[in-house]
């Protein structure tokens, strides 16, 4: 450029020194005219000078410039509005009027292909706003959008925003009878255009908007500083006056990338006051979304009694890998307890779901899935119950058969472990668990066995006792109706007879079923026999569980679950493990149905039933 101006100067000098307009002079003038056409306009030159002389801020940028941002007018900068072409953005404004002034500006490194400038304009003595403008390299305006606004006449409205590499999140706030926040999301595209992609009324989207707003005020945060899609609240039934909240604070953000600080807290619903708080930086909480995308934060619905006096709150975080041929997903679990006016993290980012593998994008591939269910043990360490971990590991192989049809083979195995409290946190210990595995046994089946006024369906002899299933005949049916009006005691049931064929146990009736068939399971080193009576009508519908120990039998509950393996019932797929004082029933299937056959039935990837303290309780990872 210096060479260009030096050459031009020489040309002008030579033109001025001549007195005759000869051919050479005429040619020089034509050359000068052509050169002038290539010189950047004054506006373009002033534009580069203007933006190069101002400050540059980092991304993401929280833009909330207002009247309080300036102590007095002496802090107002002198901005060349002509160089920035502001008359194109504000054609109705007269920038010759001293009351209309551009008073501040800074640049942002959004893209290399264009310039991004935020300009603050004093529209009048009561209104101030900032606008994001994207310019071409020559200073022409590509697009613009309002990013902040403040007015001090009525104080009824405000605009704040978060500007990132490719995203612009704008919050329009209105104070009327109630506070309203409209969140507008824009995409800043590679060509510099700014396109609206989503609008959400936060006060309508969040049913507990006012509570969250009070909590954010207590944290000195704006709504625009949070990842609202992952902001979660829950009220637990045992204390309806308090809410458990997860506030994800955006620290860094880019294209398909973000980092979040975590605010985990409890607040009084009536006042919005924070009563217990936990903070963790993005540097250690693993709340990062990059090649592995952080998809969701979930508050666990259960409360975990780690001791008689202490209950823990849980949250889960889901991640998903974006590779098509190397699929990956993960889910972590953390536990928090109250301690004074804070929350303490007792279990940190423990992986409860993990899936990965490799395939050819068509059919053939191998995958491994681990899904852990954590439940309380009965033994304590350092004053808190141990956590027992049931881990179902599924290995899958996809392949093409001889007909080029894609087939899948699954294999399942169980790995149990234990989490112990060390005085500070829970961690997995390398400790072998005294686990007993139950296998199916086949007692001698009795044929043509009869009982007076009882229709025998199945009869087995086991250790000198007889296990019978069936139904009382209609003549005697009315004699076996429970005195409990809520219990309809009719239909198929289980009986146990002693060596003299006297009935020593009979269960309640479980309704008129197509199938009520006992299956028997026993561990090598256990005196217990587990009996599961498979139920079915038009479809398999779980099983009733009994424990036979020596000469005593009792009904412990219902396994309201079935797998999805074709032609196989619960009793074909059940895995029974005994660890300490806990019995765990799980199903070896890649998809499970809870409450099969009922309107309330749901599909879950994994579930167990744990029998502890006289109760058979369903455990899942589904909040």
């Amino acid at each position: 450029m210096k060479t260009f101006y030096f050459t031009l100067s020489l040309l002008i000098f030579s033109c001025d020194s001549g007195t005759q307009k000869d051919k050479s002079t005429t040619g020089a003038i034509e050359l000068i005219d052509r050169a002038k056409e290539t010189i950047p306009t004054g506006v373009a030159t002033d534009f580069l000078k203007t933006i190069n002389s101002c400050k540059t801020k980092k991304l993401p940028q929280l833009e909330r410039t207002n009247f309080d941002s300036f102590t007095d007018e002496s802090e107002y900068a002198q901005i060349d509005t002509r160089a920035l072409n502001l008359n194109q953005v504000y054609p109705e404004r007269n920038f010759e009027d001293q009351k209309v002034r551009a008073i501040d500006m800074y640049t942002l490194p959004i893209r290399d292909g264009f310039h991004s400038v935020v300009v603050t304009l004093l529209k009048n003595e009561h209104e101030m706003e900032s606008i994001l403008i994207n310019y071409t390299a020559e200073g022409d305006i590509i697009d613009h959008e309002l990013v902040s606004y403040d007015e001090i006449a009525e104080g009824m409205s405000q605009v704040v925003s978060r500007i990132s590499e490719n995203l612009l999140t704008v919050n329009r706030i209105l104070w009327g009878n109630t506070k309203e926040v409209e969140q507008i999301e824009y995409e800043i595209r590679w060509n510099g255009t700014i396109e609206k992609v989503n609008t959400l009324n936060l006060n309508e989207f969040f049913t507990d908007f006012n509570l969250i707003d009070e909590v954010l005020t207590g944290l000195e945060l704006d709504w625009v500083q949070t990842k609202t899609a992952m902001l979660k609240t829950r009220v637990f039934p045992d204390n309806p006056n308090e809410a458990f909240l997860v506030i994800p604070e955006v620290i860094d953000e880019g294209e398909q990338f973000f980092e979040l600080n975590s605010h985990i807290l409890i607040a009084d619903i009536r006042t919005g006051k924070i009563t217990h708080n936990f903070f963790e930086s993005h540097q250690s909480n693993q709340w990062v979304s990059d090649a592995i995308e952080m998809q969701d934060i979930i508050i666990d619905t259960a409360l975990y009694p780690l001791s008689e006096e202490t209950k823990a709150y849980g949250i889960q975080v889901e991640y998903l890998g974006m590779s098509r041929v190397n699929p990956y997903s993960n889910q972590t679990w953390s536990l928090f307890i109250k301690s004074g006016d804070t929350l303490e993290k007792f279990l940190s980012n423990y992986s409860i779901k993990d899936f990965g593998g490799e395939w050819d994008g068509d059919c053939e591939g191998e995958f491994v899935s681990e899904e852990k269910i954590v439940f309380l043990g009965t033994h304590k360490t350092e004053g808190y119950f141990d956590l027992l971990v049931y881990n179902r590991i599924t290995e899958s192989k996809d392949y093409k058969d001889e007909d080029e049809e894609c087939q899948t083979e699954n294999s399942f195995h169980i790995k149990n472990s234990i989490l112990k409290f060390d005085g500070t946190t829970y961690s997995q210990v390398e400790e072998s668990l005294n686990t007993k595995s139950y296998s199916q046994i086949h007692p001698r089946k009795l044929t043509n066995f009869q009982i007076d006024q009882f229709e025998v369906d199945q009869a087995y002899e086991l250790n000198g006792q007889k296990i019978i299933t069936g139904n009382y005949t209609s003549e005697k049916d009315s004699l076996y109706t429970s005195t409990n009006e809520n219990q309809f005691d009719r239909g198929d049931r289980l009986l146990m007879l002693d060596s003299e064929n006297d009935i020593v146990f009979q269960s309640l009736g479980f309704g008129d079923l197509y199938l009520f068939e006992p299956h028997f399971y026993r561990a090598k080193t256990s005196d217990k026999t587990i009996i599961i009576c498979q139920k079915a009508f038009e479809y398999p519908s779980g099983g009733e569980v009994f424990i036979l120990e020596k000469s005593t039998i009792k009904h412990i509950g219902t396994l309201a679950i079935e797998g999805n393996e074709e032609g196989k019932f619960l009793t074909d797929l059940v895995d029974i493990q005994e660890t300490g004082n806990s019995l765990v029933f799980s199903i070896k299937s890649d998809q499970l149905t809870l409450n099969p056959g009922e309107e309330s039935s749901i599909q879950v990837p994994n579930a167990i039933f744990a029998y502890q303290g006289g109760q058979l309780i369903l455990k899942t990872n589904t909040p």
Side-chain angles (χ1 to χ4, degrees), residues 219 221 245 247-251 260-265 274 276-285 287 336 341-345:
L219 293 173
L221 293 176
L245 297 94
I247 309 292
E249 178 191 0
V250 177
I251 295 301
L260 308 173
N261 284 346
S262 51
H263 299 266
I264 316 295
L265 51 92
I274 299 171
H276 302 79
N277 194 4
F278 173 86
F279 170 81
E280 189 171 8
S281 165
H282 66 282
Q283 296 174 334
S284 61
N285 63 9
W287 288 15
F336 303 83
D341 60 356
T342 65
L343 288 174
E344 292 188 17
K345 196 175 189 181

Side-chain angles (χ1 to χ4, degrees), residues 540 561-566 568-570 573 587-593 603:
I561 192 170
E562 290 287 347
N564 71 337
E565 304 297 314
E566 186 176 354
K568 292 186 178 182
F569 288 5
L570 158 71
L573 302 171
I587 310 300
K588 294 180 178 179
S589 179
D590 59 358
Q591 190 70 30
L592 306 174
T593 301
Q603 300 287 315

Side-chain angles (χ1 to χ4, degrees), residues 149-336:
Y149 173 81
D150 188 30
E151 53 95 4
I152 57 176
E154 297 179 351
M156 299 289 290
S157 62
Q158 185 184 18
V159 174
V160 296
S161 65
R162 185 178 73 246
I163 310 169
S164 302
E165 179 182 281
N166 70 312
L167 294 174
L168 170 61
T169 304
V170 177
N171 280 6
R172 296 177 178 267
I173 308 166
L174 179 65
W175 286 275
N177 294 329
T178 59
K179 181 178 180 179
E180 297 181 7
V181 179
E182 181 185 47
Q183 177 177 282
I184 308 171
E185 294 181 342
Y186 300 86
E187 179 184 346
I188 304 175
R189 298 185 173 174
W190 284 95
N191 62 1
T193 58
I194 304 173
E195 300 292 336
K196 183 189 296 187
V197 294
N198 190 38
T199 301
L200 187 67
N201 291 317
L202 299 182
N203 48 298
E204 296 178 1
F205 181 77
F206 291 99
T207 56
D208 42 10
F209 172 86
N210 292 331
L211 172 65
I212 300 171
D213 192 60
E214 290 290 340
V215 167
L216 289 174
T217 300
L219 293 173
E220 298 183 350
L221 293 176
D222 288 334
W223 283 90
V224 77
Q225 292 175 265
T226 68
K227 200 76 170 175
T228 52
M230 296 186 181
L231 196 156
K232 301 298 171 68
T233 68
R234 181 171 294 280
V235 177
F236 291 90
D238 68 330
N239 193 348
N241 290 326
E242 68 177 25
F244 187 79
L245 297 94
V246 179
I247 309 292
E249 178 191 0
V250 177
I251 295 301
D252 199 0
E253 184 179 44
E255 191 165 10
Q256 298 182 339
F257 166 79
F258 59 79
E259 292 180 342
L260 308 173
N261 284 346
S262 51
H263 299 266
I264 316 295
L265 51 92
I266 295 174
D268 188 312
I269 289 178
R270 296 161 296 184
T271 64
K273 180 181 178 181
I274 299 171
T275 59
H276 302 79
N277 194 4
F278 173 86
F279 170 81
E280 189 171 8
S281 165
H282 66 282
Q283 296 174 334
S284 61
N285 63 9
Q286 298 183 17
W287 288 15
V288 177
S289 185
D290 202 347
I292 304 299
E293 179 183 343
M294 182 178 171
Q295 287 206 309
D296 200 7
I297 301 170
I298 305 165
I299 298 178
D300 205 333
T301 56
L303 285 175
Y304 298 86
L306 301 183
S307 70
E308 289 78 5
E309 301 82 21
T310 305
K311 291 183 179 180
Y313 302 82
I315 64 169
Q316 300 176 18
V317 182
E318 295 180 347
Y319 300 88
L320 180 66
M322 304 309 293
S323 172
R324 181 170 176 267
V325 295
N326 295 104
Y328 173 79
S329 63
N330 180 253
Q331 188 166 332
T332 63
W333 187 53
S334 299
L335 285 178
F336 303 83

